[in-house]
Structure formats: C-alpha cells, structure tokens
C-alpha cells in the first residue's frame, strides 16, 4: 500500500530534478548550475532521483511472502539515495547553484518520498521478522523430524 504513495512522489521528484538540473533552462539573474558542474552535481542528482524511482518500483514489484529480503534491500537503497539527494541539494544551495526557495521545495520533494518509504520499511521489517521466525521454527521442526527418524 505504501508503494502507491511513494511511486507518484518518486516520479515527481525525478521530474523536478530533471527540470532543475537542465542547463538550457537558465533564467537571467537566477542561480543555476554552471556548465562545469553538469557532469558532477547534475549527474549525481539525476542518478539519485532515478535510482529512487527504480528502487521504489522494484520494492513494490517484489512479492513480500517470498521476496521480503529483496524488498527490504530496495527500500534501504531508497532511504540511502534520499539522504544523498538531501546532501547534494544542501551543497548546491551552499554553492549558490539554487535559491533558498528551490532548496526548500526540492528537499520537500525528497522528504515526500522518504516519509512513506520509511513507514513502509518499518512495517515490512516487522512483517519480515515474523516470517523469519516462522521459517526458523519450520526448519527446526524439520530437523527434529529427521532426528526422530534417525533414532
């Protein structure tokens, strides 16, 4: 269910990131990413935003009952990429590449993805712990049955 909240927000984040890091769309008198930073800041921001969308979609596509570890790894990756984006946005503001309003809006876009993913990760982490316990109990029962047959 959380994927339905996170996916549209991740798409919006990618769209805004692509718009903001586009070097051709410069407004006179407004801060922008210099051409020299296109291959560093802009590329890093775009890749992080794309990875966020990819991993949110991947997490949503995993069947939880059998692929819960894969889903949790994907959600962890989303959280890490969100943190990276927040740092890059902050650095972009400190270097004067974006305005305070752009920084605030961009950070809100990132946290708009991060919040539901965090809740999703927490919920699925608890569900995965229960499934792991059930798997361990089933394995112990299976081993106990094998030992009974041997003796």
């Amino acid at each position: 269910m959380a994927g339905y909240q996170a996916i549209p927000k991740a798409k919006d984040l990618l769209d805004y990131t692509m718009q903001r890091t586009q070097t051709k769309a410069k407004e006179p008198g407004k801060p922008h990413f210099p051409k020299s930073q296109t291959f560093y800041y802009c590329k890093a921001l775009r890749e992080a935003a794309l990875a966020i969308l990819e991993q949110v979609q991947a997490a949503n596509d995993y069947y939880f009952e059998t692929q819960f570890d894969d889903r949790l790894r994907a959600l962890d990756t989303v959280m890490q990429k969100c943190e990276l984006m927040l740092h890059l946005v902050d650095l972009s503001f400190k270097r004067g590449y974006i305005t305070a309003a752009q920084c605030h809006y961009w950070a809100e876009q990132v946290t708009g993805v991060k919040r539901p993913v965090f809740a999703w990760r927490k919920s699925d982490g608890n569900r995965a712990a229960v499934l792991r316990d059930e798997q361990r109990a089933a394995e112990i029962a299976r081993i106990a049955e094998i030992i009974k047959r041997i003796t």
Side-chain angles (χ1 to χ4, degrees), residues 49-65:
L50 181 59
I52 288 168
L53 178 58
E54 288 173 341
Q55 292 301 308
V56 167
Q57 184 61 53
N60 192 56
D61 289 345
Y62 288 124
Y63 180 63
F64 184 78
E65 302 301 320

Side-chain angles (χ1 to χ4, degrees), residues 118-139:
F118 180 79
W120 187 9
R121 172 63 173 90
K122 185 177 178 181
S123 171
D124 278 4
N126 294 337
R127 289 174 55 205
V130 170
L131 287 175
R132 283 188 194 102
D133 289 344
E134 290 172 0
Q135 286 176 343
R136 276 189 224 114
E139 183 67 19

Side-chain angles (χ1 to χ4, degrees), residues 25-86:
K26 295 178 188 171
E27 298 174 33
K30 296 257 182 167
H32 61 275
F33 287 93
K35 191 172 183 177
S36 63
Q37 295 303 322
T38 301
F39 294 107
Y40 181 67
Y41 278 97
C42 295
K43 182 180 178 190
L45 285 160
R46 287 176 184 156
E47 287 176 351
L50 181 59
I52 288 168
L53 178 58
E54 288 173 341
Q55 292 301 308
V56 167
Q57 184 61 53
N60 192 56
D61 289 345
Y62 288 124
Y63 180 63
F64 184 78
E65 302 301 320
T66 57
Q67 298 174 304
F68 55 85
D69 285 327
D70 294 328
R71 180 185 282 189
L72 294 176
R73 272 191 291 279
L75 293 173
D76 288 341
T77 300
V78 171
M79 297 296 291
Q80 292 166 350
K81 294 296 182 179
C82 284
E83 283 300 315
L84 173 63
M85 278 202 77
L86 289 171

